[in-house]
């Protein structure tokens, strides 16, 4: 009963038999009748204080049963006590940052990470001082007011890996947040390695079908309470229809990841041998930092890769324009294959020098491989790469 294939199908559905239903009911109520004022006041206090549920949900900004069900499913998949869902991955990260302020005003962050996460941290919008460090320097840079350590592995878009256990050891008492969006709980379980917070843009693999924006944080019940209080106060809610779609995607999560990963392994090998490609960044090829963590920290190399084209920006733009089956679009983790240009799109908001230092150059394209037939994907890539410049314009 502990296998992820089984859990993905059944988690968060434990009350179905008692309810007499076979699919998650969608509760769209914004408010709930309070027949007993004493009980209502008690429920209100409990929910505002961060309880996961109460006798009366009171108001949908405080609690929603449809959202609660998918939270329970995702906590089960990540192996944590609790999960708190938000209206986007960025709202989830914002809630953790706001919660961290009570512990101190300083956070340590390892680059590269998702462009908007970088932007949110570098801009100081949440009132925290973000210091960007190499993973190896974390212990040396800890301060008395360090409230959080943030890492993303695999990293977006270079696919570099970070040793979660080593970061947790270096951080000591300071909680570590791992953005595990690229890995999914099928391939990586950061909480088991000591991460205090496991964050996902559930918009990606967890939803899996490109039709819901959502974010989650999985953690202990004790850490979840302040996150729920932030959610109730700031309103970064996941809508119950979004929660329903997210829950609907979960039973096929393991199947989707396994198929997309098998496709990615095949495409990475073929791309590495292509004359227009200077380098394929893919954990399965050993071409990223800490690739040795595939097989231990990560059960497999994942479904994303980045390719450096010899022809630079012109070649990258040409490939984006020429693909027919793949969608030239940002985002990732959908059933269909997406291809995008990080320097021109997702990582546009990152400081230009930091972007280059992280290896995000003008000829870099990121591929999120889907579940299509691999030969069709290769045929599309091969025709798109045909005739592109083999060296960058001077
Ligand atoms: C997309 C993404 C985010 C942001 O999530 P949204 O759901 O778009 O707000 C954060 N981290 C990673 C790694 C992502 O890919």
């Amino acid at each position: 009963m502990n296998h992820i294939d089984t859990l993905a199908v059944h988690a968060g559905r434990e009350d179905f038999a008692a309810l007499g239903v076979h699919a998650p009911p969608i509760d769209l109520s914004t408010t709930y009748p309070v027949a007993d004022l004493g009980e209502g006041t008690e429920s209100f206090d409990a929910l505002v204080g961060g309880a996961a549920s109460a006798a009366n949900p009171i108001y949908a900004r405080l609690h929603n049963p449809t959202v609660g069900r998918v939270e329970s499913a995702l906590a089960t998949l990540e192996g944590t006590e609790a999960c708190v869902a938000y209206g986007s991955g960025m709202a989830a990260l914002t809630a953790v940052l706001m919660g961290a302020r009570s512990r101190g005003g300083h956070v340590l962050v390892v680059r590269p990470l998702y462009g908007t996460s970088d932007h949110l941290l570098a801009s100081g919008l949440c009132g925290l001082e973000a210091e960007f460090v190499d993973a190896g320097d974390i212990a040396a840079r800890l301060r008395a007011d360090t409230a959080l350590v943030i890492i993303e592995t695999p990293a977006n878009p270079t696919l570099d890996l970070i040793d979660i256990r080593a970061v947790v050891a270096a951080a000591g008492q300071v909680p570590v947040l791992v953005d595990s969006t690229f890995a999914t709980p099928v391939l990586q379980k950061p909480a088991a390695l000591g991460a205090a917070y496991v964050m996902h843009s559930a918009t990606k693999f967890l939803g899996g079908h490109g039709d819901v924006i959502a974010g989650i944080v999985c953690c202990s019940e004790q850490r979840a309470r302040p996150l729920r209080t932030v959610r109730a106060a700031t309103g970064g809610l996941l809508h119950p229809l979004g929660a329903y779609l997210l829950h609907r995607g979960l039973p096929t999560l393991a199947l989707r990841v396994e198929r997309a990963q098998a496709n990615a392994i095949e495409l990475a090998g073929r791309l590495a041998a292509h004359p227009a490609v200077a380098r394929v960044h893919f954990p399965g090829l050993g071409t990223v930092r800490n690739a040795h963590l595939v097989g231990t920290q990560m059960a497999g190399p994942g479904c994303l890769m980045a390719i450096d084209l010899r022809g630079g920006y012109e070649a990258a733009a040409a490939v984006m324009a020429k693909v027919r089956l793949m969608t030239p679009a940002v985002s990732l983790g959908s059933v269909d294959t997406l291809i995008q240009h990080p320097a021109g799109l997702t990582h546009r908001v990152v400081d230009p020098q930091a972007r280059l230092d992280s290896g995000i150059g003008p000829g870099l394209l990121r591929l999120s491989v889907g579940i299509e037939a691999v030969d069709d994907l290769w045929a599309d890539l091969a025709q798109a790469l045909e005739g592109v410049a083999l060296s960058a314009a001077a």
Side-chain angles (χ1 to χ4, degrees):
M1 268 295 280
N2 285 328
H3 198 282
I4 187 130
D5 290 340
T6 306
L7 295 176
V9 174
H10 291 282
R13 296 163 194 265
E14 294 81 3
D15 60 347
F16 284 11
L19 289 172
V21 300
H22 189 63
I26 305 171
D27 184 340
L28 293 173
S29 302
T30 57
T31 190
Y32 294 85
V34 178
D36 177 331
L37 181 57
E39 182 187 272
T41 303
E42 215 171 278
S43 294
F44 187 91
D45 285 347
L47 292 170
V48 171
S53 62
N56 189 323
I58 305 292
Y59 186 59
R61 182 154 40 69
L62 308 181
H63 179 73
N64 177 278
T66 308
V67 175
R69 255 188 219 99
V70 76
E71 287 176 335
S72 149
L74 288 161
T76 301
L77 295 189
E78 282 293 351
T80 54
E81 285 174 349
C83 167
V84 187
Y86 296 86
S88 71
M90 294 317 303
L93 179 59
T94 299
V96 178
L97 294 177
M98 297 193 117
R101 290 177 57 165
S102 65
R103 292 190 301 271
H106 178 243
V107 293
L108 288 172
V109 188
V110 179
R111 272 179 170 143
L113 65 165
Y114 181 70
T116 304
S117 304
D118 190 304
H119 176 63
L120 179 67
L121 289 158
S123 68
L125 212 56
C126 287
L128 291 160
E129 176 198 344
E131 183 180 348
F132 294 93
V133 291
D134 281 336
D137 293 338
I138 287 170
R141 300 290 190 88
L142 288 175
R143 303 193 326 213
D145 65 339
T146 305
L148 188 67
V149 172
I150 299 177
I151 62 170
E152 186 174 303
T153 180
N156 187 352
T158 59
L159 284 310
D160 283 334
L161 306 183
I162 299 174
D163 188 331
I164 297 170
R165 228 191 266 276
V167 167
V168 168
Q173 296 302 304
V174 178
V176 174
L177 177 144
V178 177
D179 184 334
S180 196
T181 299
F182 275 33
T184 82
V186 179
L187 300 178
Q188 174 171 290
K189 297 275 186 52
L193 305 172
Y197 300 100
V198 183
M199 183 203 131
H200 285 272
S201 168
T203 311
K204 315 296 166 54
F205 289 99
L206 301 179
H209 297 76
D211 54 10
V212 54
I213 298 251
I216 61 159
V217 182
C218 295
C219 57
S220 67
E221 176 57 25
Q222 190 195 346
R223 292 193 193 282
R225 294 179 72 92
L227 295 179
R228 295 190 194 105
T229 297
V230 171
R231 182 176 62 182
T234 62
L237 305 173
L238 176 58
H239 191 274
L241 287 177
Y244 174 86
L245 289 170
L246 190 52
H247 210 163
R248 193 182 200 287
L250 290 185
T252 56
L253 176 65
L255 281 177
R256 287 186 278 111
V257 169
E258 280 159 24
R259 170 58 177 260
Q261 177 173 260
N263 283 350
I265 291 169
E266 182 62 32
L267 290 182
R270 294 191 197 182
L271 282 165
H274 195 286
V277 178
R279 176 175 170 194
V280 180
H281 304 248
F282 183 59
L285 291 179
T287 50
V288 302
R289 210 176 295 168
N290 290 319
H292 67 274
L293 294 170
V294 175
T296 51
Q297 175 169 296
M298 269 185 94
C303 318
L304 280 116
M305 73 189 73
I307 55 175
D308 261 318
L309 296 178
R310 289 188 201 284
Y313 181 84
E314 303 298 328
V319 170
M320 290 263 302
K322 284 166 74 180
V323 287
R324 289 291 168 265
L325 179 64
M326 300 181 178
T327 306
V330 303
S331 199
L332 58 108
S334 187
V335 284
D336 58 324
T337 300
L338 305 174
I339 186 165
Q340 70 105 6
H341 188 259
L345 296 167
T346 51
H347 289 67
R348 197 82 205 138
V349 287
V350 178
D351 171 71
Q353 191 56 48
R355 200 160 67 209
L356 274 177
D357 291 348
S358 301
I360 306 166
L364 191 77
L365 287 174
R366 189 191 72 191
L367 250 91
S368 171
V369 179
I371 63 170
E372 302 96 330
V374 71
D375 285 335
D376 291 335
L377 292 176
W378 178 248
D380 192 35
L381 264 183
Q383 68 80 25
L385 284 165
E386 207 171 290
V388 303
L390 296 183
S391 64

